[in-house]
Amino acid sequence: METINIFETEKKNHKKGIKKSFPVTGMTCAACASSVESILSHTEGVNKAEVNFASSSVLVDYDEATTEEQLQNALRQVGYDIIIDAADPSEVQQELQQKHYQDIKNRTIWSAILTLPIFVLGMFYMQWEPGKWISLVLAFPILFWFGRSFFINAFKQAKHGKANMDTLVALSTGIAFLFSVFNTFFPEFWLSRGIEPHVYYEAATVIITFISLGKLLEEKAKSNTSSAIKKLMGLQPKTLKIIENGEEREIPISSVQVGQTILVRPGEKIPVDGEVSKGSSYVDESMITGEPVPVQKSQGEKVFAGTVNQKGSFQFTAEKVGGETLLSQIIKMVQQAQGSKAPVQKLVDKIAGIFVPVVLGISFVTFIVWMSIGGDNGFSQALLTSVAVLIIACPCALGLATPTAIMVGIGKGAENNILIKDAESLELGHKVNAVILDKTGTITEGKPLVTNILWKDKLENQNDYKKILLSIEAQSEHPLAEAVVNHLKEENIVQAEIISFESITGKGVKAQSEKGSKYYVGNHKLMVEKNIQIDASLIQTAESLEEKAKTVIFFSNEHQVLAILAIADKIKETSKKAIATLQERGIEVYMLTGDNNKTASAVANQVGISNYQGEVMPSDKAAFVEKLQADGKIVAMVGDGINDSHALAQANVSIAMGKGSDIAMDVAKMTLITSDLQSIPKALELSKRTVLGIRQNLFWAFIYNIIGIPIAAGILYPVNGFLLDPMIAGAAMAFSSVSVVANSLRLKRVKL
């Protein structure tokens, strides 16, 4: 069986270059998103580009040799742009979005005001000759000033052989207006042929007004979907107080430098990451860690941006500022996730990309058919039906169906301490039917304590061995090593010199003292493998301790075990309930741990897991995930350590505990920023609700077009003489987009 080396994979990914999200301007519909993605994907040096229409952003993976200006120039040629030269692109995008919203609002209001008299004249005074001229004068600014963006964008697209929603709007309203102008100036052309010269100013202007109204509501709704990001950004204060030459000075957050001393008073938010240099206080870190109890911070301890100081003042040295802080990393992770695409969205984008040309074709066929069979009114009916087809088929609802649901779902997750890295995991989560849990740090607190140290009978110089043990464990990254170090430091033991240190994956560590003696610290398997002798009394004690769910580690020289250490790790209070919830939902729960089988058994019994395995190597965990997948299971792996990274990468849905290693969090697609395992059922429930929302949205978007296009083409005319008025089609199109966004926003009210 081929195994995957996660570290090699990371290196390969790193070689791909830079992965960065840029705000995009100028996109008006899903087909625009498809165009931007296509243009960037075909730009030299770009490996991959993913556009999120709902957040107006593009996630670009490009070579280091490619510049941001090259990406910008590629888009500018077709009428779009990306923001690259701003200190805070998100802020610039927000300002532009606000300006864009205000612009649409003004255009919509003025279009509505001018359209009203045209509509009254068109509906009730059709035969009043001056009414046509009044309508012409009022319609001109509506189409070519307030609605000019549709024509400008359609022209830009046409120059590059592309078509989008603006093409449909510009063609339909432009044709209706020109036909009406011809009939206003030359009515005798039709009268001489016995045909009434109708005008359609009201249809063209109402379409522009309704579509502008739809865009206004859409922009309003889209701004609501990114409220989670705004809440996270709001956690960081705008200014801070630094201590310089013994004096206090207030500066903006953007001016702070690494190494500066920052003062934090009671009740203030901590502005950047750093280390406490003077004073102490309790800090509420619940926004970052989910832990409800404030944590004491004194000299030498780390503090994080966005957390809130409780009582007491302290000073700290800034270590990470700007985009390097933990809060900024979380914001970036959420933004990238909201910018990522669910697999179903890629299919929808392809459909949206070919949708507009297909609709243009249907509209043309409709025109030809009605001209052929329409008789005396053939031209009028051909014009009306082909225009209605162009209007009703706008693919806005199709384009918004998936991204709006994903954005709201990811935002909802962030509110519940669940950070979702990409849309794919959110889409897959509801299918999970097997969950594998790591033990240490996942089911248990991950804060193990040494309960017993038992030395070999009549062993002399125990204090010297303690010094060597402390030196070895101080270099180890294993979570249990920290417990040993803390325990020995409490006994005021000082470290001895060691000249070499080697980690033996899944078994323990090996070290050499300055006198040349070799020492091992690890599990029973390591002792057996190295042929190290263990006293019978120590073996019996070790077995007895393991039956009590304590982890036993062995400390030895090259020949014999010198001591055994028993370490206990408390099970989290909520672990049992979370596991029971998963099992009630029909999900199989497994526990895999590198600990011995007796400890694994004791912990598994306490939390109600019947499928467990102890003494598991990191590669075994990944192999077990693969085995379950081969049996047709959709597997979620939950872990916190570097040793879980391989299995996390192999799993269908990977979930890292927030207090775990950076690598585990980098690999995992979801991160729980709380230590509470009950967030796992919540995450899977969120996935279920989000996917349901996507399906509902896609159903309505597709069914709307499937029913709407034939009706607009006049399929009901032979049955009951019904022809859809283009302005009704415009209203229906706007309603479909708004209804899809509103359905996605319902997810915000769901209780997980």
Side-chain angles (χ1 to χ4, degrees), residues 250-487:
E250 187 163 342
I251 60 168
I253 187 85
S254 54
S255 304
V256 67
Q257 302 289 324
V258 171
Q260 285 184 318
T261 303
I262 297 165
L263 173 67
V264 183
R265 291 211 168 90
E268 288 182 347
K269 287 176 181 170
I270 292 165
V272 295
D273 293 358
E275 188 176 293
V276 177
S277 56
K278 188 177 176 185
S280 69
S281 179
Y282 282 89
V283 175
D284 179 358
E285 294 189 330
S286 59
M287 284 80 84
I288 302 288
T289 64
E291 294 293 338
V293 183
V295 185
Q296 189 178 15
K297 298 288 179 182
S298 51
Q299 195 172 352
E301 288 187 278
K302 303 282 183 191
V303 287
F304 302 99
T307 55
V308 183
N309 181 26
Q310 301 290 294
K311 296 173 182 175
S313 298
F314 64 89
Q315 294 177 11
F316 73 96
T317 309
E319 290 183 336
K320 290 180 180 175
V321 300
E324 297 297 312
T325 65
L326 180 64
L327 180 65
S328 296
Q329 297 297 320
I330 291 173
I331 291 171
K332 196 174 164 188
M333 201 188 282
V334 174
Q335 278 177 328
Q336 286 199 352
Q338 289 193 329
S340 65
K341 279 187 184 172
V344 66
Q345 178 60 24
K346 290 172 185 168
L347 178 66
V348 171
D349 284 351
K350 278 186 186 170
I351 295 171
I354 59 170
F355 194 74
V356 173
V358 168
V359 168
L360 289 174
I362 293 174
S363 176
F364 182 70
V365 170
T366 302
F367 186 86
I368 298 296
V369 169
W370 275 102
M371 282 294 286
S372 307
I373 63 170
D376 291 343
N377 292 323
F379 184 74
S380 297
Q381 287 172 338
L383 187 71
L384 272 177
T385 49
S386 55
V387 166
V389 167
L390 292 175
I391 295 298
I392 207 162
C394 168
C396 279
L398 201 60
L400 289 169
T402 305
T404 51
I406 292 286
M407 283 181 73
V408 177
I410 288 173
K412 184 81 184 169
E415 285 174 14
N416 284 274
N417 298 320
I418 304 161
L419 293 180
I420 300 161
K421 258 194 195 173
D422 76 355
E424 187 175 356
S425 59
L426 189 62
E427 194 184 324
L428 269 176
H430 77 290
K431 293 181 184 172
V432 165
N433 50 16
V435 171
I436 300 173
L437 300 170
D438 172 48
K439 182 180 76 67
T440 309
T442 303
I443 294 176
T444 63
E445 294 276 6
K447 293 174 186 170
L449 299 170
V450 174
T451 57
N452 313 75
I453 295 187
L454 298 159
W455 293 92
K456 184 180 181 305
D457 281 345
K458 299 174 184 174
L459 183 71
E460 295 178 353
N461 303 324
Q462 285 186 11
N463 220 38
D464 292 340
Y465 289 124
K466 282 182 182 177
K467 290 177 183 174
I468 293 167
L469 178 61
L470 175 60
S471 301
I472 296 170
E473 291 295 76
Q475 293 196 36
S476 173
E477 290 182 350
H478 196 280
L480 298 183
E482 193 180 340
V484 178
V485 171
N486 290 338
H487 182 84

Side-chain angles (χ1 to χ4, degrees), residues 39-216:
I39 291 154
L40 283 178
S41 298
H42 290 92
T43 302
E44 195 178 343
V46 174
N47 301 311
K48 194 178 177 187
E50 285 190 346
V51 174
N52 186 316
F53 175 49
S55 65
S56 299
S57 63
V58 58
L59 184 64
V60 192
D61 185 345
Y62 57 101
D63 295 337
E64 287 178 356
T66 305
T67 63
E68 294 179 356
E69 285 75 16
Q70 285 174 302
L71 303 177
Q72 190 177 45
N73 290 337
L75 283 182
R76 280 182 172 175
Q77 287 176 13
V78 283
Y80 306 111
D81 203 351
I82 53 173
I83 300 168
I84 57 168
D85 50 0
D88 187 349
S90 299
E91 198 174 311
V92 174
Q93 190 191 29
Q94 276 185 17
E95 283 172 12
L96 286 173
Q97 278 178 341
Q98 189 58 37
K99 196 178 164 190
H100 183 53
Y101 173 75
Q102 200 57 43
D103 187 37
I104 294 177
K105 191 176 173 184
N106 292 338
R107 279 193 272 142
T108 308
I109 291 170
W110 280 107
S111 296
I113 292 170
L114 295 179
T115 298
L116 185 62
I118 300 174
F119 179 77
V120 172
L121 288 171
M123 290 290 109
F124 306 107
Y125 302 97
M126 283 179 283
Q127 303 306 320
W128 188 46
E129 197 57 28
K132 294 178 183 175
W133 294 95
I134 295 170
S135 296
L136 169 60
V137 172
L138 293 176
F140 194 83
I142 296 173
L143 262 75
F144 303 113
W145 182 249
F146 301 119
R148 65 186 183 282
S149 60
F150 298 112
F151 294 92
I152 292 169
N153 291 335
F155 178 69
K156 283 179 182 172
Q157 292 287 317
K159 275 204 306 185
H160 292 86
K162 292 181 178 291
N164 65 1
M165 173 203 149
D166 294 324
T167 311
L168 298 181
V169 176
L171 270 176
S172 58
T173 57
I175 291 169
F177 180 80
L178 289 175
F179 182 66
S180 301
V181 170
F182 182 83
N183 289 356
T184 304
F185 280 95
F186 309 105
E188 65 279 2
F189 178 82
W190 297 106
L191 290 170
S192 65
R193 290 164 174 78
I195 298 171
E196 187 64 28
H198 291 296
V199 293
Y200 298 101
Y201 294 119
E202 80 284 356
T205 53
V206 169
I207 287 167
I208 294 283
T209 303
F210 270 131
I211 291 175
S212 298
L213 178 66
K215 281 182 174 293
L216 181 70

Side-chain angles (χ1 to χ4, degrees), residues 223-248:
S223 67
N224 285 340
T225 59
S226 55
S227 56
I229 294 286
K230 288 176 188 163
K231 280 182 192 170
L232 284 170
M233 286 176 170
L235 292 175
Q236 196 169 33
K238 300 284 181 197
T239 60
L240 56 93
K241 297 179 191 76
I242 58 165
I243 304 291
E244 206 170 52
N245 302 323
E247 290 185 7
E248 184 183 322

